[in-house]
Amino acid sequence: MAFQAKFAEPETPFAVERVLVGAHPVIVKLRALIERVAPTEATVLITGESGTGKEVVAHAIHTLSPRSHQPFVPVNCAAIPHDLLESEMFGHERGAFTGAAGSRLGLLTTADRGTIFLDEIGAMPYGLQAKLLRVLEDGVVRPVGADRATRVNVRVIAASNIDLAEAVAKGAFREDLFYRLQVVPIVIVPVRDRRSDIPLLTEHFLERIRNRPPGREIAISREAMVALWSYDWPGNVREIENMVERLAILCEDSIIDTSILPENLAASTRPATTPIAVKLNDGRVNLNDLVRELEGRLINDALKQTGGNKQAAARLLGLKRTTFAAKLRRCGVIVPASLDDREEGWTSKELYG
Ligand SMILES: Nc1ncnc2c1ncn2[C@@H]1O[C@H](COP(=O)(O)OP(=O)(O)OP(=O)(O)O)[C@@H](O)[C@H]1O
Ligand SMILES: [Mg+2]
C-alpha cells in the first residue's frame, strides 16, 4: 500500500516525531496522546480540517500498537458509493444482490486482528451506522446476504473533517455511534492556529527534497519564509507539502525567494488592517469586545509585518514586551514563534501563554 510504503521504514524503529513534525505545544501534546492511546484497544475519533494529518495520526496509532504487524486497512467512506459501502465493509454472499457473482470478504474481515481506519466517517449512510455500531459493541460482522454473523477482532479508528457533534444535532449522524467512536477524541488544530510550526514543516519538506536522489541544494530566503508564515494555509500541512514541492521546481537556483511565490502567498505579507464598522444605533455595542477585537487585529497585522518577530511588533505598537505578551494572551492571538524569538529569549509562557 502506497501509504505504508511512505511511512513504514523497517530498518529504523518508528518514531512519531518523524512523521508528525512540530514543536508547537498542541503538537507536542498530540504526540504524547498518540503514544498513550496506541497500546490500548480504545476506539479513537480524529477530527481536523483537510490536510491536518488525520491519516498520519491514525497510522501512527496503529504502528505503535500491539497490532502493528497486522493489517492497517483504510476505508474512505466518502469515496465509495453509498450502495457499495456495506458490501465493501461487511462483504457479501454469492447472489446477495445483482452482480454478486461470488462471495467476497469485507474490509472489516480483512482488518481482522489489525486496525480499520474509517476515514470521512460523517459520509457513512445512516442505516449503515447502526450496523457499524453492532461491530463495535458485539465484535460481529454479518456479510450482505449471509444468515450468520462471524466474529472479528478489529480496532476502529475513525476520522472526520466535519464536526460530528453538529451532524448529530442535525440528525445526520447517530448519537449512539458518535459516543461509541469517540472513546478517545483527538482534535488536530489547523496550521493557522499553530503558525510557529510553519518554518519547521517547510524545512522538513525541503529536507525531503534534499535527500531525494540525486540530491539537491535548496533553501528558502527569510522573506519567503515570512510570506509562508503569514499565509493561512486552508489546505493545512498537505498544502505546505505541495507548495514546497512546487517552489522547489520553480526555483532556478538553490534559494527559494519571494519572486517565485504565487500571488496569494505574496499577498499574505501585506498588512490587512480592516477597520471595524460600528453602528451605535443598534443598541448592541459592547465597547470592551470591540476594543479587544481591534487590539487583536492590530497585533496580528504588526506580527505579519515583522514576520512574527514579537520584539519588533511590540515596538511597532509602542508597547513594552511584557505588556505586549499579556495582550497576546488576552486577545487569544495564536502566538507565532518567529525565527528570532528564541535568540531574543522569549520564554515559552510568553510565546504560548
Ligand atoms: N505534522 C506533520 N508533519 C509532517 N507531515 C505531515 C504532518 N501532518 C500532515 N503531514 C503530511 O501532510 C499530508 C496530509 O496529511 P493526511 O493525509 O494525514 O491529512 P488528512 O487530515 O487525512 O487530510 P484529508 O482530510 O484531506 O484526508 C500527508 O502527506 C502527511 O504526511
Ligand atoms: Mg485523510
Side-chain angles (χ1 to χ4, degrees):
M1 205 166 297
F3 187 87
Q4 284 186 331
K6 191 164 151 193
F7 290 107
E9 288 171 17
E11 262 82 68
T12 35
F14 179 83
V16 68
E17 58 273 17
R18 269 194 291 121
V19 292
L20 205 69
V21 174
H24 191 282
V26 297
I27 298 298
V28 174
K29 275 193 204 132
L30 173 62
R31 284 196 296 259
L33 181 57
I34 289 171
E35 280 167 354
R36 210 179 161 84
V37 76
T40 73
E41 290 286 293
T43 307
V44 177
L45 175 63
I46 308 165
T47 316
E49 288 179 10
S50 177
T52 45
K54 297 183 292 298
E55 185 146 356
V56 176
V57 169
H59 193 258
I61 292 173
H62 170 76
T63 309
L64 291 171
S65 82
R67 296 172 178 261
S68 63
H69 295 294
Q70 305 297 333
F72 175 79
V73 180
V75 185
N76 188 332
C77 303
I80 302 174
H82 277 190
D83 48 346
L84 283 185
L85 189 57
E86 180 175 5
S87 84
E88 281 289 321
M89 283 181 65
F90 290 82
H92 61 77
E93 290 295 306
R94 187 175 161 199
F97 48 84
T98 324
S103 65
R104 192 177 159 195
L105 286 184
L107 294 167
L108 280 158
T109 310
T110 310
D112 194 21
R113 307 208 294 147
T115 308
I116 193 157
F117 174 48
L118 301 174
D119 204 358
E120 303 209 36
I121 188 129
M124 182 176 280
Y126 202 82
L128 197 53
Q129 292 172 22
K131 207 165 164 178
L132 175 63
L133 188 62
R134 285 278 318 279
V135 179
L136 288 163
E137 308 236 285
D138 309 329
V140 290
V141 165
R142 195 168 60 79
V144 181
D147 16 85
R148 283 194 327 123
T150 47
R151 227 146 242 292
V152 288
N153 170 2
V154 282
R155 183 182 196 178
V156 176
I157 302 182
S160 176
N161 51 19
I162 61 159
D163 183 352
L164 280 189
E166 227 170 74
V168 168
K170 283 193 203 137
F173 201 84
R174 292 184 65 106
E175 190 172 19
D176 45 10
L177 179 60
F178 173 61
Y179 288 116
R180 187 62 193 72
L181 285 174
Q182 65 153 1
V183 175
V184 178
I186 293 187
V187 178
I188 315 183
V189 306
V191 164
R192 63 182 172 281
D193 291 346
R194 46 175 156 122
R195 261 177 226 277
S196 53
D197 277 349
I198 293 172
L200 273 182
L201 287 163
T202 306
E203 189 46 45
H204 168 72
F205 295 124
L206 282 175
E207 184 65 11
R208 213 168 60 186
I209 295 170
R210 287 185 201 115
N211 290 336
R212 201 183 289 155
R216 172 175 178 198
E217 292 255 311
I218 184 108
I220 181 163
S221 75
R222 198 187 146 69
E223 291 69 30
M225 185 64 100
V226 167
L228 263 49
W229 174 84
S230 310
Y231 180 62
D232 274 348
W233 301 104
N236 294 291
V237 185
R238 181 181 296 109
E239 192 182 2
I240 299 184
E241 184 176 13
N242 294 336
M243 183 58 70
V244 171
E245 290 280 341
R246 171 171 160 192
L247 294 174
I249 291 168
L250 294 179
C251 173
E252 279 170 357
D253 48 30
S254 57
I255 306 278
I256 297 172
D257 198 15
T258 47
S259 57
I260 59 163
L261 295 182
E263 172 58 17
N264 57 344
L265 270 182
S268 64
T269 45
R270 288 175 208 136
T273 315
T274 330
I276 301 177
V278 187
K279 271 202 229 126
L280 273 177
N281 57 1
D282 70 3
R284 268 187 267 150
V285 171
N286 182 323
L287 186 62
N288 287 335
D289 286 351
L290 280 174
V291 169
R292 204 166 310 135
E293 192 181 337
L294 184 62
E295 261 185 5
R297 287 191 197 189
L298 286 169
I299 286 173
N300 259 325
D301 284 352
L303 284 166
K304 274 188 180 178
Q305 212 155 310
T306 62
N309 183 320
K310 280 171 283 301
Q311 196 77 42
R315 227 175 290 128
L316 264 184
L317 294 169
L319 295 173
K320 280 199 298 205
R321 161 175 157 165
T322 43
T323 320
F324 184 69
K327 281 192 188 298
L328 281 174
R329 283 198 298 277
R330 205 176 57 229
C331 298
V333 174
I334 298 299
V335 185
S338 81
L339 300 173
D340 307 327
D341 286 327
R342 246 148 262 161
E343 283 146 42
E344 290 181 6
W346 282 65
T347 65
S348 102
K349 190 167 164 38
E350 281 173 317
L351 286 172
Y352 302 113

